[in-house]
Amino acid sequence: MLVQDRPNPKSPKTHNNNSNSSNRALPTVHPNRFSESKSLDFSTWASENLYKIVTILLLIATVAALFFLRNVGDTAALLCFESQSQQLETIHFPKINWNSIEPIVDKTTPYANFRSEKWVVVSVSDYPSDSLKNLVKIKGWQVLAIGNSKTPSDWSLKGTIFLSLEQQAQLGFRVVDFLPYDSYVRKTVGYLFAIQHGAKKIFDADDRGDVIDNDIGKHFDVELVGEGARQEVILQYSHENPNRTVVNPYVHFGQRSVWPRGMPLENVGEIGHEDYYTEVFGGKQFIQQGISNGLPDVDSVFYFTRKSGLEAFDIRFDERAQKVALPQGMMVPVNSFNTLYHSSAFWALMLPVSVSTMASDVLRGYWGQRLLWEIGGFVVVYPPTVHRYDRIEGYPFSEEKDLHVNVGRLTKFLVSWRSGKHRLLFEKILELSYAMAEEGFWSEKDVKFTAAWLQDLLAVRYQQPRLMTLELDRPRATIGHGDRKEFVPQKLPSVHLGVEEIGTVNYEIGNLIRWRKTFGNVVLIMFCSGPVERTALEWRLLYGRIFKTVIILAVQKNEDLVVEEGRLDYLYKQLPSIFNRYSSAEGFLFLHDDTIINYWNLLQADKTKLWITDKVPESWTPVRDDGNSDWFTKQAELVNKVVNSMPVHFQVSYKESMPDPSSTTLCSSEVFYVPRRFVSDFIDLVNLVGDLDMHQKVAVPMIFLSMDLPQNFDPVFGTMIYKPDQPSTNSTPSYSPEVPAVHPWGVSSEQEFIKLVRIMAAGDPLLMELV
C-alpha cells in the first residue's frame, strides 16, 4: 500500500539541423563531437569495435544454446531459466500444519501464574502519563504496557505489567521476529501475552486519553452473555444500498463535518443523517469501537486544514446518541486506542508491519471487519467512551499517504472478496492476507507475519471461532416499513475552518462551544422536589448541553428516568459517593430545582475555588443560639462536637471564619460548587459528621468554612436574585438574564419548562431550538 515518489522521465535528446535557427542558442555539445572522420578500412574498424563484436557473438551463442535446449535438452532447465525473473516477484503462500503447533508457556516473567479476564493493552514510549495512571485505577482491568526502543530503561508504574524489548524477546513468540523496534505495533506481543494469561476481553488503548468516568463498561458492552449482559436490540445502519461500503459514524454522534482517520476522502462530504436505520440483536458485537471526545481519531488532512492556530482541539460528540451497528457489506474505520475486543475477535488484533504506523490499525480494522462476517460477528460504534487530549503536535501526512491513496479501493476489494476455504477460520484469515498482498495493500512480509501470528495464537491455546454461513451473496431482505427505525442525530456545532454548516455557525454557536468548554467536565447534581416524571428529561435537556453530565436525585427513585433516591435535608452525605463515581470531573455544582442558573454568567468564576451564596444575606446567615429553638440548639451542639474533632487545618480555618464561638451559620444551600482540589476535604468532613443528625442547612456552611476562608471563596453568586419570601410565581419581572442565578423559580410541568426556556433564550438564543 506504499506510495512511491517516482522521478520525472528524462527529456529526450534532440538534434537541431535547421540552418535557419542560427540566431537561437545552440545546445552545449562535446568538443570532439564533430571531429574529423577517420579511415574506415576493415582492420581499423575491427580494432575499434572489438568489444561490440564479442558481445554480438556471445548473444548469438546464447540464442543458439536456448534453441538447442528447447528442442533436445532438459525441458526443466529451460523452464527454470525462463521463469527466473517471475519467481523473484512471486508471493509464496505459507504452508502450516495446524495440528503440530507446540504450546508456548510463560517461563521468563514473574507473571507466569497470573490470570485475568480483562486487560488494557497500551504502548509506552515515555514515562507514565497521567492518563495511564488513571487507567491503572479502573477496577477489574489489568493494564499491560508494551515498551519499545524509545521507552526509558527505568520505566515502571505500580499496578502495571510492563514488558521491555528484552522481556518481549524472551517470550518465545514467532511474531517478535517481524516487529520494528520503535513502533506501537509491538502491542501485538502484548495481545498474545494477555491471551496467554487468561484474557477474555482486551481494551486496546493509548496513554493520552482518559476513560470517561473511569468506567469502561459505562457505554461498552463488556459482557455479551450471562447476567451482566445487556440483552437489547441495537440500532443498525440500513443495508439497502449495496454500493455503500463505508460510513462516517461521527455524523450519527452529532459531528457532521468531522471524519475519522481511514475514511476514504471521497466520502467525507457525505454529511446527511440516515433516512432510517434497522435493528439487530446484540450479543455478537465482538469488536466495539468507541468515540473519543477532545481529539477524536482524525487524519492529517483534517488536522491541518481545520486547525486554528495553536489552540488544541476539543471536539464533543453526543453522549446520549444510541450505539449503532454495521451490517454485513458495510464498514467503518477502527483504531487502536479506544476499541474493545471480545475473545471471539482476538485474531483480529494483529497490527500489520509492512505499512506505515498511521495506516496499520486502520488496515487491521477493515481486514478484521471483513473476516468478522465469516463468524457472524459485527462491529458496533459507541457514544464517547474516552476523552483524548490534543498535544498540538504535527500529524505526519507522509505516514498516511498510502492510506489516502488506497483505502477506498481496499474497502471495495474486501466487500467483494470471497474465500475458497471452508474448514477453518484461520485458513480464511491467511487466504485474505495473501490476497491483500497480491493486490498491493501490504507486502509479503505481512503474509508471513499473519502466519506467525496465527501459529502463536494457537500456541497460547486460543480457540478459533467456528465459521458460519455468509449471506453476502444472497439477495438482501426487503426492509419493510415496520422495520425502519428513525433516529435524527443532534447537529452539534463545529468550530473547524473551511466548513460551511447547514444552518448558521455564528455567534450563538460560538458561545455554546465556549460554555461547553468551560463546564464540559463539571458534573451538575440536581435535587428535584417537584414531580420528576414531568421534569427530569427537561432538566437534562436544558443543562445537559453544557455540563459533563446531569445527575438527578429525588425523594423517590425512578429507574426509567435514571433518577436516584435522595433526602434533601441530608443530601450532603450522599455527595461523596457521586464525587467518587466521577473521579475525572473537574468539579461538582449542586443545584436545587427551585433555583435557575444562567450558565453564561458563570464563565468568569474561578473553577478552582469554592462557590456558595456567602455574599447573599438572605441565604447565608450567622445565628446566635438564644435558647428559643430546640432544633437550632441541638444543631449548634452538633457543629461544636464535629469542629472539636476536626484535624488542625480544618479547625483553624473554621474558627478563623467564625470568631464568635456562640454563633452558627445557616445556609439554604440551593446552589454551591466544589472544585476537584477540595473533593477529598469535603469527603473527610462528611466522614467526621458520620451518623450525626446534622441538617444540610447547617452542615454545608460548616464544611465550606472548614475547607477554606470565606475571603477565598469565589463571589460569583453574590449578585444573584434571591427572594426567599416571594412565592414561586415564575413571573417574568423576577427573572433576569444578567445575573448568575435566580431563586425561587419552580418548574413542575412541561408548560412551565417551555416558559422558562423562552425567557432564558435572552441569554442563550439557541435554547429556542428546544421548543
Side-chain angles (χ1 to χ4, degrees):
M1 205 167 175
L2 302 174
V3 177
Q4 299 178 351
D5 295 324
R6 296 184 177 134
N8 294 327
K10 298 180 179 179
S11 302
K13 296 180 179 180
T14 57
H15 302 277
N16 190 348
N17 296 324
N18 191 343
S19 60
N20 295 328
S21 61
S22 59
N23 294 331
R24 300 178 185 173
L26 294 174
T28 301
V29 297
H30 194 279
N32 294 325
R33 181 167 179 187
F34 297 113
S35 59
E36 182 179 10
S37 32
K38 298 180 180 180
S39 173
L40 295 179
D41 61 275
F42 180 79
S43 60
T44 302
W45 177 87
S47 63
E48 292 183 350
N49 296 279
L50 179 61
Y51 73 96
K52 295 181 180 179
I53 296 172
V54 172
T55 301
I56 293 172
L57 290 175
L58 286 174
L59 180 62
I60 294 172
T62 300
V63 172
L66 290 175
F67 181 79
F68 177 78
L69 286 171
R70 181 178 293 275
N71 290 276
V72 298
D74 187 352
T75 305
L78 179 60
L79 292 176
C80 178
F81 180 84
E82 288 181 332
S83 62
Q84 184 175 3
S85 61
Q86 294 180 358
Q87 288 178 352
L88 293 176
E89 301 176 358
T90 300
I91 299 174
H92 299 282
F93 191 92
K95 295 182 180 179
I96 302 173
N97 185 347
W98 303 106
N99 298 317
S100 64
I101 297 173
E102 294 294 326
I104 297 177
V105 181
D106 182 6
K107 298 180 180 178
T108 60
T109 75
Y111 315 105
N113 296 321
F114 177 78
R115 294 291 182 274
S116 178
E117 291 192 354
K118 295 185 288 188
W119 290 73
V120 178
V121 179
V122 297
S123 172
V124 291
S125 299
D126 205 343
Y127 289 106
S129 64
D130 290 339
S131 295
L132 183 56
K133 293 175 183 176
N134 291 332
L135 274 176
V136 177
K137 296 176 183 177
I138 299 177
K139 294 181 179 180
W141 291 81
Q142 175 59 52
V143 175
L144 173 61
I146 303 300
N148 55 58
S149 59
K150 302 175 185 176
T151 311
S153 58
D154 59 343
W155 197 100
S156 67
L157 178 60
K158 185 178 180 181
T160 300
I161 295 177
F162 172 66
L163 296 179
S164 65
L165 282 176
E166 293 76 13
Q167 289 172 310
Q168 295 170 37
Q170 296 171 3
L171 292 173
F173 297 144
R174 298 169 179 81
V175 296
V176 173
D177 295 336
F178 298 87
L179 297 172
Y181 288 105
D182 61 348
S183 172
Y184 80 93
V185 302
R186 299 195 70 85
K187 291 170 78 174
T188 302
V189 175
Y191 306 141
L192 289 169
F193 184 88
I195 297 168
Q196 184 185 53
H197 291 77
K200 301 299 181 185
K201 296 101 181 172
I202 294 178
F203 181 49
D204 207 10
D206 72 356
D207 63 349
R208 62 187 294 181
D210 288 336
V211 175
I212 294 175
D213 298 329
N214 281 341
D215 184 3
I216 294 177
K218 179 176 180 180
H219 290 305
F220 282 128
D221 292 316
V222 176
E223 303 297 336
L224 297 182
V225 295
E227 294 181 0
R230 298 176 181 138
Q231 303 296 331
E232 58 185 359
V233 177
I234 302 174
L235 210 61
Q236 178 180 252
Y237 285 101
S238 165
H239 60 256
E240 186 176 54
N241 182 359
N243 297 319
R244 190 182 186 195
T245 58
V246 63
V247 295
N248 179 0
Y250 292 174
V251 177
H252 177 84
F253 294 97
Q255 287 289 359
R256 296 167 297 160
S257 56
V258 187
W259 66 87
R261 177 172 55 96
M263 186 78 182
L265 293 181
E266 60 266 27
N267 296 104
V268 301
E270 300 170 0
I271 63 174
H273 67 79
E274 304 298 304
D275 292 335
Y276 61 88
Y277 296 78
T278 57
E279 290 182 333
V280 65
F281 288 106
K284 293 190 175 182
Q285 56 270 39
F286 300 141
I287 300 178
Q288 303 175 12
Q289 174 66 69
I291 297 289
S292 298
N293 278 335
L295 177 64
D297 184 24
V298 295
D299 59 28
S300 60
V301 175
F302 179 90
Y303 196 83
F304 284 124
T305 59
R306 308 300 171 86
K307 194 74 170 179
S308 178
L310 295 178
E311 184 178 357
F313 273 133
D314 189 13
I315 303 171
R316 301 301 175 113
F317 293 85
D318 182 7
E319 296 181 357
R320 295 180 297 275
Q322 300 179 50
K323 58 190 175 186
V324 59
L326 282 298
Q328 288 185 0
M330 193 176 295
M331 296 183 172
V332 69
V334 172
N335 61 52
S336 63
F337 58 79
N338 185 19
T339 314
L340 181 65
Y341 284 77
H342 282 264
S343 59
S344 294
F346 280 173
W347 48 266
L349 282 162
M350 182 197 80
L351 288 162
V353 293
S354 68
V355 297
S356 66
T357 56
M358 297 295 286
S360 180
D361 58 342
V362 173
L363 263 69
R364 172 186 78 172
Y366 284 129
W367 167 84
Q369 283 177 82
R370 174 58 188 85
L371 291 163
L372 199 61
W373 302 339
E374 303 283 346
I375 60 173
F378 52 87
V379 172
V380 170
V381 184
Y382 289 75
T385 51
V386 163
H387 187 103
R388 195 162 173 263
Y389 299 96
D390 183 6
R391 294 175 179 166
I392 317 179
E393 58 191 19
Y395 266 44
F397 178 79
S398 60
E399 288 289 308
E400 293 182 354
K401 264 194 315 187
D402 46 349
L403 194 62
H404 296 306
V405 169
N406 279 326
V407 70
R409 184 171 69 90
L410 172 64
T411 58
K412 293 180 176 63
F413 163 77
L414 290 172
V415 170
S416 63
W417 178 79
R418 297 294 181 271
S419 172
K421 309 290 184 181
H422 303 289
R423 193 170 64 92
L424 298 173
L425 173 64
F426 280 13
E427 291 179 343
K428 287 181 180 284
I429 294 174
L430 194 58
E431 183 185 20
L432 179 55
S433 293
Y434 178 81
M436 286 180 62
E438 285 191 318
E439 292 293 325
F441 295 117
W442 56 38
S443 74
E444 184 179 12
K445 183 177 181 181
D446 271 315
V447 181
K448 297 176 180 178
F449 183 55
T450 304
W453 163 252
L454 297 176
Q455 292 177 84
D456 282 342
L457 281 175
L458 293 177
V460 296
R461 302 188 184 281
Y462 175 72
Q463 298 293 322
Q464 54 182 309
R466 297 178 60 184
L467 294 171
M468 296 186 65
T469 303
L470 200 64
E471 300 179 353
L472 281 177
D473 293 323
R474 296 182 181 181
R476 297 292 181 93
T478 303
I479 301 175
H481 182 74
D483 299 324
R484 302 186 179 197
K485 305 299 176 183
E486 288 191 3
F487 174 81
V488 179
Q490 286 196 56
K491 295 180 180 180
L492 297 180
S494 177
V495 294
H496 317 300
L497 302 177
V499 178
E500 181 179 351
E501 293 275 14
I502 299 174
T504 56
V505 180
N506 52 21
Y507 177 76
E508 289 81 9
I509 288 184
N511 277 339
L512 183 62
I513 292 295
R514 191 155 53 97
W515 303 332
R516 180 70 185 183
K517 287 182 70 174
T518 302
F519 298 111
N521 199 24
V522 172
V523 174
L524 179 64
I525 305 169
M526 193 169 187
F527 184 85
C528 287
S529 298
V532 292
E533 64 275 3
R534 299 180 183 177
T535 59
L537 295 178
E538 282 76 5
W539 289 126
R540 287 198 176 95
L541 188 64
L542 174 61
Y543 293 128
R545 302 157 57 249
I546 308 298
F547 294 93
K548 177 184 180 74
T549 190
V550 179
I551 298 175
I552 296 181
L553 302 104
V555 175
Q556 291 186 343
K557 182 178 180 180
N558 189 317
E559 293 184 354
D560 294 335
L561 297 175
V562 197
V563 174
E564 302 177 30
E565 183 180 355
R567 291 181 59 191
L568 180 60
D569 293 348
Y570 304 97
L571 201 63
Y572 69 96
K573 294 186 177 184
Q574 194 170 342
L575 297 183
S577 64
I578 298 175
F579 293 170
N580 290 330
R581 196 187 314 167
Y582 295 92
S583 57
S584 64
E586 189 175 1
F588 300 86
L589 180 63
F590 174 79
L591 184 66
H592 192 190
D593 69 344
D594 62 356
T595 304
I596 302 300
I597 55 168
N598 293 331
Y599 37 83
W600 53 88
N601 292 323
L602 301 178
L603 298 181
Q604 74 276 16
D606 188 341
K607 289 186 294 177
T608 65
K609 294 184 177 182
L610 295 164
W611 312 349
I612 200 166
T613 55
D614 60 303
K615 300 295 190 294
V616 182
E618 296 86 353
S619 172
W620 183 280
T621 311
V623 180
R624 293 175 62 90
D625 183 11
D626 55 9
N628 294 328
S629 171
D630 292 339
W631 178 87
F632 184 78
T633 299
K634 182 180 178 180
Q635 293 294 312
E637 291 174 354
L638 293 177
V639 169
N640 290 331
K641 181 176 181 180
V642 173
V643 170
N644 291 331
S645 68
M646 288 179 180
V648 60
H649 57 289
F650 291 141
Q651 194 171 136
V652 167
S653 177
Y654 180 83
K655 290 183 177 179
E656 185 175 343
S657 304
M658 297 290 295
D660 183 359
S662 63
S663 178
T664 302
T665 298
L666 293 180
C667 177
S668 299
S669 307
E670 290 92 355
V671 56
F672 57 84
Y673 169 78
V674 180
R676 166 56 55 190
R677 70 189 186 100
F678 283 107
V679 163
S680 60
D681 289 347
F682 191 100
I683 295 174
D684 289 343
L685 289 163
V686 170
N687 290 336
L688 287 176
V689 175
D691 296 331
L692 297 178
D693 191 21
M694 186 181 295
H695 196 280
Q696 171 138 328
K697 290 184 178 181
V698 177
V700 169
M702 180 198 71
I703 291 172
F704 268 65
L705 293 174
S706 303
M707 289 191 293
D708 205 356
L709 300 175
Q711 57 263 37
N712 295 330
F713 296 172
D714 193 287
V716 63
F717 291 127
T719 57
M720 70 178 289
I721 294 175
Y722 195 93
K723 300 179 179 179
D725 298 329
Q726 175 180 313
S728 180
T729 56
N730 296 352
S731 61
T732 302
S734 62
Y735 175 85
S736 171
E738 307 297 328
V739 299
V742 177
H743 173 83
W745 193 283
V747 175
S748 58
S749 66
E750 185 176 352
Q751 290 73 24
E752 291 177 348
F753 175 78
I754 292 173
K755 179 181 178 181
L756 171 65
V757 165
R758 284 175 176 166
I759 64 171
M760 288 182 69
D764 181 1
L766 288 178
L767 283 175
M768 292 304 295
E769 294 186 2
L770 301 181
V771 295

